[in-house]
Amino acid sequence: MLKDKMRQLGRRDFLRYSAAGAGALMAPGLVRPARAETAGLTMHTWSAAVDTVQSHLSAFTAETGIPVNYGNSPWAQYREGMVAKFVGGAPLDAMWVSDSWLPEWAEAGWIAPVDEFDSLMKYNAEAEDFCTQSMTYGGRQYGLTYYTDYMAFLYDEAKLKEAGFDAPPSSWDELVEQSRVMKEKGIAEYPMMLAMAQESWLIEFISTLVYSHGGRLVDDSGSAVMQDSKEGAVEALQWVVDAVDKHKIVSPACVETGELAGLKSFAAGNHAFAMVAKYRLRMLNDPAQSQIAGNVKQAMMPQGAKGSHATVGWMRFHGMSTQAAQDKARAENTAKLIEWFGGKSDGAYTFQKLLFLDIGAGFGVKPLFEDPEIRAAYDSYGDVNMIQAQQALARKKDTITPWFGEWNDTNGSAWQSAILGNVDAAGAVKKSADLWNELKDSY
């Protein structure tokens, strides 16, 4: 235990205080002398919708007179590059942040809360609750939404009708019943597609299963409750175990199936049901990319016996650097920039709408669901009312903490072990809970 504490402390201290040299080695050229050459702002994002971002920045400068130096890097290198910038003191005012990084970046003092700016906080009234909660850490809010999405339940309407059903399953038990009929009729060997490989998507799949079974993994105090049989996690894992071993409606290879592989298998017509990110709906109904295009529909997430149609959501946001926050004038200008992107510009949620129309990225503000252009775009491949209804039931991941990364692999392995029959569901979840509480206590 003491050895583990020393290891964890050393890792955190390295991240907070000693990463400058390593960061410079890993990302040469990224670290530059602090501030200097410009009186404007500096904004960094990952390489998504670059032309749209640049155009919106130009409009910001034209409106406010504030110049902005813009940089971007690929998603795969973004986090590493940003750490190098933070510890090296590179010029940086606004940036895109993943909700998964918030605890680490806030604890390290790299990003600053923005909740002192009334001009930003007013947008919470129209934002999805899980988005606001996902930008909140330690009771402080750190930004405004850039994009959001959630885990959706999709089905192949043609296979459903072939099996003789008029409506998709509304519960996990009903999904088992419909899947067994499909197996008997030879419609699909494994009607339900679940991707349970050890990858970044796994916590979203697990969280969705737990939430829809009426549970949670962690309570409001940050302690594990997943091991409690009344909190949904054991029940959710047992459903997956039974779906694989007892009902044989989910392939035992699900523990080796990643999100992309599972998506391709569903698109090839191998399954009737799938749990995937909602944004995949557009691709699945595109004839150039999917063999089941035109037949893919969304239903509310099936619910457990004591659960609901809840799902998990995730988001990315526009944040402010601590470096910017330390200068009052600079902080105020950065807040204006964040509002221009995450709030309204010219009286409308312009950037979130542009981003949706450009690359299909989901938005986190409810009024955009009433926008005629957005409704028309959604209705070209999905049911906008269904999409909106499910998004309203999305919940943030309750496991995002500074020690999440140290716990996550063990949790995924525990779930996989139960699916493979090496341990019972209760034992697997208990192992995960024990590690969670140990890490929490030692942090």
Side-chain angles (χ1 to χ4, degrees), residues 27-40:
L30 286 176
V31 179
R32 300 185 296 275
R35 299 270 167 234
E37 298 106 357
T38 178

PDB file of all heavy atoms in Angstrom, residues 27-40:
ATOM      1  N   ALA A  27       7.833  16.969 -27.418  1.00  0.00           N
ATOM      2  CA  ALA A  27       7.195  17.852 -28.390  1.00  0.00           C
ATOM      3  C   ALA A  27       8.097  19.031 -28.714  1.00  0.00           C
ATOM      4  O   ALA A  27       7.818  20.167 -28.364  1.00  0.00           O
ATOM      5  CB  ALA A  27       5.867  18.350 -27.844  1.00  0.00           C
ATOM      6  N   PRO A  28       9.215  18.789 -29.363  1.00  0.00           N
ATOM      7  CA  PRO A  28      10.148  19.869 -29.660  1.00  0.00           C
ATOM      8  C   PRO A  28       9.486  20.952 -30.495  1.00  0.00           C
ATOM      9  O   PRO A  28       8.703  20.676 -31.386  1.00  0.00           O
ATOM     10  CB  PRO A  28      11.265  19.160 -30.442  1.00  0.00           C
ATOM     11  CG  PRO A  28      10.634  17.918 -30.981  1.00  0.00           C
ATOM     12  CD  PRO A  28       9.636  17.505 -29.954  1.00  0.00           C
ATOM     13  N   GLY A  29       9.814  22.185 -30.164  1.00  0.00           N
ATOM     14  CA  GLY A  29       9.293  23.307 -30.923  1.00  0.00           C
ATOM     15  C   GLY A  29       7.988  23.852 -30.409  1.00  0.00           C
ATOM     16  O   GLY A  29       7.553  24.920 -30.802  1.00  0.00           O
ATOM     17  N   LEU A  30       7.309  23.075 -29.503  1.00  0.00           N
ATOM     18  CA  LEU A  30       6.025  23.542 -28.998  1.00  0.00           C
ATOM     19  C   LEU A  30       6.193  24.559 -27.888  1.00  0.00           C
ATOM     20  O   LEU A  30       5.353  25.426 -27.696  1.00  0.00           O
ATOM     21  CB  LEU A  30       5.204  22.357 -28.489  1.00  0.00           C
ATOM     22  CG  LEU A  30       4.598  21.461 -29.565  1.00  0.00           C
ATOM     23  CD1 LEU A  30       3.905  20.277 -28.914  1.00  0.00           C
ATOM     24  CD2 LEU A  30       3.595  22.241 -30.412  1.00  0.00           C
ATOM     25  N   VAL A  31       7.259  24.437 -27.113  1.00  0.00           N
ATOM     26  CA  VAL A  31       7.452  25.334 -25.970  1.00  0.00           C
ATOM     27  C   VAL A  31       8.226  26.573 -26.415  1.00  0.00           C
ATOM     28  O   VAL A  31       9.320  26.481 -26.940  1.00  0.00           O
ATOM     29  CB  VAL A  31       8.220  24.610 -24.851  1.00  0.00           C
ATOM     30  CG1 VAL A  31       8.449  25.550 -23.687  1.00  0.00           C
ATOM     31  CG2 VAL A  31       7.455  23.383 -24.396  1.00  0.00           C
ATOM     32  N   ARG A  32       7.608  27.732 -26.193  1.00  0.00           N
ATOM     33  CA  ARG A  32       8.233  28.986 -26.614  1.00  0.00           C
ATOM     34  C   ARG A  32       8.266  29.940 -25.427  1.00  0.00           C
ATOM     35  O   ARG A  32       7.555  29.739 -24.449  1.00  0.00           O
ATOM     36  CB  ARG A  32       7.405  29.613 -27.754  1.00  0.00           C
ATOM     37  CG  ARG A  32       7.293  28.723 -28.973  1.00  0.00           C
ATOM     38  CD  ARG A  32       6.580  29.465 -30.097  1.00  0.00           C
ATOM     39  NE  ARG A  32       5.214  29.805 -29.768  1.00  0.00           N
ATOM     40  CZ  ARG A  32       4.202  28.974 -29.945  1.00  0.00           C
ATOM     41  NH1 ARG A  32       4.415  27.755 -30.412  1.00  0.00           N
ATOM     42  NH2 ARG A  32       2.973  29.357 -29.632  1.00  0.00           N
ATOM     43  N   PRO A  33       9.020  30.969 -25.504  1.00  0.00           N
ATOM     44  CA  PRO A  33       9.027  31.935 -24.414  1.00  0.00           C
ATOM     45  C   PRO A  33       7.632  32.489 -24.171  1.00  0.00           C
ATOM     46  O   PRO A  33       6.851  32.670 -25.104  1.00  0.00           O
ATOM     47  CB  PRO A  33       9.975  33.039 -24.928  1.00  0.00           C
ATOM     48  CG  PRO A  33      10.830  32.344 -25.924  1.00  0.00           C
ATOM     49  CD  PRO A  33       9.978  31.298 -26.565  1.00  0.00           C
ATOM     50  N   ALA A  34       7.336  32.754 -22.911  1.00  0.00           N
ATOM     51  CA  ALA A  34       5.989  33.197 -22.559  1.00  0.00           C
ATOM     52  C   ALA A  34       5.661  34.555 -23.159  1.00  0.00           C
ATOM     53  O   ALA A  34       6.482  35.448 -23.183  1.00  0.00           O
ATOM     54  CB  ALA A  34       5.857  33.257 -21.043  1.00  0.00           C
ATOM     55  N   ARG A  35       4.402  34.665 -23.679  1.00  0.00           N
ATOM     56  CA  ARG A  35       3.784  35.876 -24.193  1.00  0.00           C
ATOM     57  C   ARG A  35       4.673  36.680 -25.103  1.00  0.00           C
ATOM     58  O   ARG A  35       5.384  37.020 -25.290  1.00  0.00           O
ATOM     59  CB  ARG A  35       3.359  36.794 -23.050  1.00  0.00           C
ATOM     60  CG  ARG A  35       2.396  36.224 -22.147  1.00  0.00           C
ATOM     61  CD  ARG A  35       0.999  36.524 -22.607  1.00  0.00           C
ATOM     62  NE  ARG A  35       0.101  35.740 -21.899  1.00  0.00           N
ATOM     63  CZ  ARG A  35      -0.760  34.988 -22.446  1.00  0.00           C
ATOM     64  NH1 ARG A  35      -0.804  34.887 -23.733  1.00  0.00           N
ATOM     65  NH2 ARG A  35      -1.588  34.298 -21.720  1.00  0.00           N
ATOM     66  N   ALA A  36       4.825  37.482 -25.361  1.00  0.00           N
ATOM     67  CA  ALA A  36       5.793  38.377 -25.854  1.00  0.00           C
ATOM     68  C   ALA A  36       5.375  39.090 -27.085  1.00  0.00           C
ATOM     69  O   ALA A  36       5.229  40.268 -27.026  1.00  0.00           O
ATOM     70  CB  ALA A  36       7.127  37.712 -26.070  1.00  0.00           C
ATOM     71  N   GLU A  37       5.232  38.295 -28.182  1.00  0.00           N
ATOM     72  CA  GLU A  37       5.224  39.007 -29.441  1.00  0.00           C
ATOM     73  C   GLU A  37       3.894  39.676 -29.785  1.00  0.00           C
ATOM     74  O   GLU A  37       3.845  40.420 -30.736  1.00  0.00           O
ATOM     75  CB  GLU A  37       5.588  38.036 -30.561  1.00  0.00           C
ATOM     76  CG  GLU A  37       6.976  37.473 -30.356  1.00  0.00           C
ATOM     77  CD  GLU A  37       6.962  36.056 -29.897  1.00  0.00           C
ATOM     78  OE1 GLU A  37       5.909  35.481 -29.671  1.00  0.00           O
ATOM     79  OE2 GLU A  37       8.056  35.523 -29.759  1.00  0.00           O
ATOM     80  N   THR A  38       2.827  39.387 -29.090  1.00  0.00           N
ATOM     81  CA  THR A  38       1.542  39.929 -29.504  1.00  0.00           C
ATOM     82  C   THR A  38       0.723  40.415 -28.324  1.00  0.00           C
ATOM     83  O   THR A  38       0.843  39.912 -27.224  1.00  0.00           O
ATOM     84  CB  THR A  38       0.735  38.848 -30.257  1.00  0.00           C
ATOM     85  OG1 THR A  38      -0.538  39.392 -30.598  1.00  0.00           O
ATOM     86  CG2 THR A  38       0.529  37.619 -29.392  1.00  0.00           C
ATOM     87  N   ALA A  39      -0.091  41.435 -28.590  1.00  0.00           N
ATOM     88  CA  ALA A  39      -1.001  41.919 -27.560  1.00  0.00           C
ATOM     89  C   ALA A  39      -2.338  41.212 -27.666  1.00  0.00           C
ATOM     90  O   ALA A  39      -3.244  41.480 -26.896  1.00  0.00           O
ATOM     91  CB  ALA A  39      -1.201  43.424 -27.707  1.00  0.00           C
ATOM     92  N   GLY A  40      -2.462  40.335 -28.669  1.00  0.00           N
ATOM     93  CA  GLY A  40      -3.700  39.605 -28.874  1.00  0.00           C
ATOM     94  C   GLY A  40      -3.772  38.362 -28.008  1.00  0.00           C
ATOM     95  O   GLY A  40      -3.011  38.189 -27.056  1.00  0.00           O
TER      96      GLY A  40
END
